[in-house]
Amino acid sequence: MRPLRGCRGRGVVVGTVTLCLAAGWALQTPGGVSLVVPQPNINATVAQNILLSVEYSCRGVATIEWKHVSSWGTTKIVEWKSGNYVNVSTVYKDRVTTFENGSIQLLNVGMRDAGYYFITVTEEHGTNTYGTIIVNVYEIIYEDLHFVAVLFAFLAAVSAILICFMWLCNKSLHLFQKKTAHKLTGISLRMQSRYRVFKPEF
């Protein structure tokens, strides 16, 4: 019975060592990819530049692909392999910048850029992972305020011109009345003088 117990003890030790070696070998074997999306929801305004920030890690070489899905359809934005090629869609030419950590920056966004952005990170041994970022794009509010400000300035200028015109009219009318009164006074004095000259004596 004692030898059997010794064999069992040795078997447990051998099994534990084997498991440790297998775990170490698995950790050293290439494979596995992780992805972190720190900001899954982004609010932006028209003409703004936005950063779709992610952070991936893998043991091998990864291929990153971004797609945009909205009510207008699905569009492939960019695909690149770490340290190799970068393939940018024609629609996003000169509007997208790629980064080594998998992030991309979109320049001058419009209303059509709203929607879901999907990133796929594929490791060279076939392992992949996915991430999603929702982008909401709003119209610029201060454009309406700018229009109101311009309209207010225009109305203020028109009002100022009308006030000046009314002041000039009033001034001209006042001068005209003054001249008319002066003429009437002169005529009245002349008539009085004539009346005195031709006044009959009784």
Side-chain angles (χ1 to χ4, degrees):
M1 298 296 291
R2 289 180 182 175
L4 288 175
R5 288 179 183 176
C7 290
R8 287 179 182 177
R10 288 178 184 175
V12 171
V13 172
V14 171
T16 304
V17 171
T18 304
L19 275 173
C20 291
L21 290 174
W25 179 81
L27 290 173
Q28 292 178 357
T29 303
V33 57
S34 63
L35 178 68
V36 178
V37 182
Q39 191 176 0
N41 200 326
I42 297 175
N43 294 322
T45 54
V46 174
Q48 185 180 352
N49 300 335
I50 60 172
L51 177 66
L52 305 180
S53 179
V54 297
E55 186 74 39
Y56 81 92
S57 62
C58 65
R59 297 182 186 89
V61 178
T63 301
I64 298 98
E65 181 186 51
W66 280 92
K67 288 183 179 180
H68 175 222
V69 178
S70 67
S71 57
W72 289 283
T74 302
T75 307
K76 183 176 178 180
I77 302 172
V78 62
E79 180 184 6
W80 78 92
K81 197 170 187 178
S82 180
N84 293 313
Y85 69 93
V86 177
N87 184 18
V88 182
S89 174
T90 307
V91 180
Y92 290 89
K93 200 72 175 177
D94 302 324
R95 284 193 57 217
V96 63
T97 305
T98 61
F99 299 93
E100 284 297 324
N101 64 353
S103 304
I104 61 172
Q105 184 180 37
L106 291 179
L107 306 177
N108 194 26
V109 296
M111 296 300 295
R112 293 178 68 93
D113 290 315
Y116 296 87
Y117 288 81
F118 294 97
I119 177 175
T120 305
V121 182
T122 306
E123 200 255 346
E124 60 183 344
H125 295 280
T127 308
N128 54 23
T129 188
Y130 308 93
T132 307
I133 296 178
I134 302 172
V135 174
N136 303 304
V137 181
Y138 302 97
E139 294 182 358
I140 302 175
I141 299 175
Y142 66 78
E143 281 189 349
D144 298 332
L145 297 177
H146 179 71
F147 173 76
V148 172
V150 170
L151 181 62
F152 180 77
F154 174 76
L155 293 176
V158 171
S159 300
I161 292 171
L162 289 175
I163 290 171
C164 292
F165 180 74
M166 291 176 66
W167 181 81
L168 288 174
C169 290
N170 188 33
K171 193 73 174 176
S172 300
L173 181 62
H174 181 69
L175 290 174
F176 177 76
Q177 289 177 348
K178 190 174 181 180
K179 288 181 179 180
T180 305
H182 183 69
K183 287 181 180 179
L184 291 175
T185 303
I187 293 171
S188 178
L189 291 173
R190 289 176 193 170
M191 290 181 67
Q192 287 179 6
S193 62
R194 287 180 183 178
Y195 178 75
R196 289 176 184 173
V197 172
F198 296 102
K199 185 178 181 181
E201 296 181 358
F202 296 99

